[in-house]
């Protein structure tokens, strides 16, 4: 895992957008896995800026979102459909037919989950998956106890997650108790994962995710088994990491290595 510690939310967003733009530059028809929540919002704004000012082209990009609430229609302001169009899709040149988000308001959600898995396969699999992390360690909506090999399915949300997400809903409006989410097995198959986190309220869970045991209790810890993971977090979120100094040192060394691109054998 490559752990990159930056100053603040703004820097995290800029750095993450740069990674996404770089991958699209290398592969214009990138299959991009997207996340919702407040964490990636800044990254999406920065991507919009790069699209407008530097011509980043999304016309061939295909996207798959991690999750969606059950029981909310796509035009509900708190649905993840609405969020994605509002924060990103309406402002870039991605084609509507290339956008995939689990459907939360269908009669047979199980069929819709299977269809989603098939569609990811048909499009060649996810190249880069953006992830946030919940305070209970979830990625997507894979709450504690999720099977590490799980596929897209319906999950019951924990009380903690419902509480955390209540801030987005109107006062008195009920927060959905179920969601459709890509499974941990689905996420693990992405060729690259980019986990983002900002703020002191994520510090405790990030320490467990990055340095604790791999466990279904903190489902994000599964990323420790993934061959290509980049974690971009700000100083506040990184404050509990035991190996923080090492991650910063390693990052500095990696940058130097990138610049010099040399690693010749040492001579006597
Ligand atoms: C929700 C989403 C997750 C997201 C998490 C954290 O539960 N399903 O994908 O990572 O919230 O949200 P935030 O970024 O607002 O802290």
């Amino acid at each position: 895992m490559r752990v990159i510690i930056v100053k603040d939310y703004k820097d995290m967003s800029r750095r993450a957008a740069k990674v996404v733009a770089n991958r699209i530059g290398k592969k214009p028809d990138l299959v991009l896995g997207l996340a919702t929540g407040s964490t990636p919002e800044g990254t999406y704004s920065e991507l919009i800026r790069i699209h407008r000012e530097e011509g980043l082209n999304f016309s061939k990009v295909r996207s798959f979102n991690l999750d969606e609430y059950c029981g909310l229609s796509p035009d509900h302001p708190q649905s993840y459909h609405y969020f994605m169009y509002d924060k990103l899709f309406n402002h870039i040149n991605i084609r509507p037919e290339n956008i995939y988000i689990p459907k939360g308001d269908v009669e047979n959600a199980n069929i819709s989950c299977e269809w989603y898995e098939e569609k990811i396969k048909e499009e060649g699999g996810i190249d880069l998956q953006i992830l946030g992390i919940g305070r209970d360690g979830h990625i997507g909506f894979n709450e504690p106890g999720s099977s590490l090999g799980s596929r897209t399915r319906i999950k019951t949300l924990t009380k903690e997650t419902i509480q955390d997400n209540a801030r987005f809903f109107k006062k008195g409006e009920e927060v959905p108790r179920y969601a459709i989410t890509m499974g941990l097995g689905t996420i693990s198959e992405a060729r690259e994962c980019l986990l983002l986190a900002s703020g002191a309220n994520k510090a405790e869970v990030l320490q467990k995710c990055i340095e604790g045991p791999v466990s279904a209790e903190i489902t994000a810890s599964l990323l420790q088994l993934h061959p290509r993971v980049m974690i971009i977090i700000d100083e506040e979120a990184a404050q509990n990491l035991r190996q923080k100094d090492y991650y910063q040192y390693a990052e500095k060394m990696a940058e130097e290595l990138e610049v010099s691109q040399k690693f010749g054998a040492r001579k006597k």
Side-chain angles (χ1 to χ4, degrees):
M1 288 193 296
R2 184 171 172 185
V3 181
I4 301 175
I5 302 167
V6 294
K7 199 167 116 246
D8 53 19
Y9 181 79
K10 211 168 176 187
D11 280 355
M12 179 202 75
S13 305
R14 278 205 206 112
R15 189 77 188 251
K18 221 169 157 183
V19 173
V20 177
N22 168 286
R23 302 301 186 267
I24 296 173
K26 285 187 181 151
K27 188 181 177 202
D29 61 345
L30 193 84
V31 180
L32 187 55
L34 294 169
T36 49
S38 50
T39 307
E41 265 194 64
T43 305
Y44 297 155
S45 305
E46 180 62 8
L47 282 171
I48 294 167
R49 189 200 64 73
I50 302 176
H51 165 68
R52 286 188 182 146
E53 293 175 14
E54 297 168 29
L56 181 63
N57 186 0
F58 289 83
S59 65
K60 291 186 181 149
V61 169
R62 292 149 296 154
S63 76
F64 284 90
N65 260 82
L66 279 170
D67 45 15
E68 177 60 288
Y69 288 118
C70 288
L72 298 192
S73 62
D75 57 358
H76 188 290
Q78 298 317 328
S79 73
Y80 286 169
H81 272 78
Y82 190 95
F83 175 99
M84 286 311 304
Y85 279 85
D86 187 39
K87 306 290 182 203
L88 182 66
F89 299 148
N90 285 343
H91 313 283
I92 57 173
N93 66 333
I94 190 165
R95 288 172 192 263
E97 64 269 30
N98 287 343
I99 295 171
Y100 299 95
I101 305 175
K103 293 188 177 81
D105 62 341
V106 289
E107 268 192 17
N108 194 332
N110 288 329
I111 292 179
S112 148
C113 293
E114 276 171 34
W115 175 85
Y116 205 64
E117 286 282 333
E118 275 310 307
K119 211 64 212 171
I120 295 174
K121 256 189 232 147
E122 252 173 54
E123 296 288 349
I126 293 167
D127 291 304
L128 174 67
Q129 177 65 56
I130 298 177
L131 298 163
I133 183 168
R135 267 196 314 134
D136 63 5
H138 71 234
I139 44 177
F141 268 129
N142 291 285
E143 298 286 34
S146 293
S147 153
L148 299 184
S150 51
R151 314 301 310 186
T152 303
R153 70 215 183 289
I154 299 170
K155 277 301 286 183
T156 305
L157 305 181
T158 61
K159 288 194 180 127
E160 197 178 14
T161 298
I162 293 174
Q163 225 173 52
D164 280 351
N165 292 349
R167 69 197 147 110
F168 297 111
F169 288 77
K170 279 197 213 131
K171 237 184 162 190
E173 195 181 2
E174 207 184 316
V175 183
R177 288 182 221 164
Y178 305 97
I180 295 182
T181 179
M182 275 187 207
L184 294 168
T186 323
I187 295 170
S188 305
E189 284 167 16
R191 290 178 196 97
E192 184 178 8
C193 291
L194 175 60
L195 177 75
L196 308 177
S198 161
N201 65 335
K202 297 286 171 74
E204 196 183 326
V205 80
L206 270 176
Q207 194 281 325
K208 291 183 184 155
C209 156
I210 297 171
E211 300 177 330
V214 174
S215 132
E217 203 185 326
I218 303 288
T219 56
S221 65
L222 177 70
L223 294 174
Q224 292 178 35
L225 299 176
H226 194 284
R228 203 163 174 221
V229 177
M230 191 183 276
I231 299 179
I232 306 179
I233 53 180
D234 66 11
E235 284 280 355
E236 283 190 357
Q239 63 185 288
N240 287 12
L241 295 179
R242 296 194 191 130
Q243 301 294 332
K244 187 177 164 202
D245 289 349
Y246 171 68
Y247 304 138
Q248 284 173 319
Y249 167 73
E251 197 46 38
K252 204 167 145 258
M253 295 305 280
E255 274 165 22
E256 274 177 31
L257 191 63
E258 261 166 45
V259 173
S260 72
Q261 286 294 321
K262 277 184 213 144
F263 218 174
R266 192 178 290 174
K267 293 202 179 95
K268 252 192 183 172

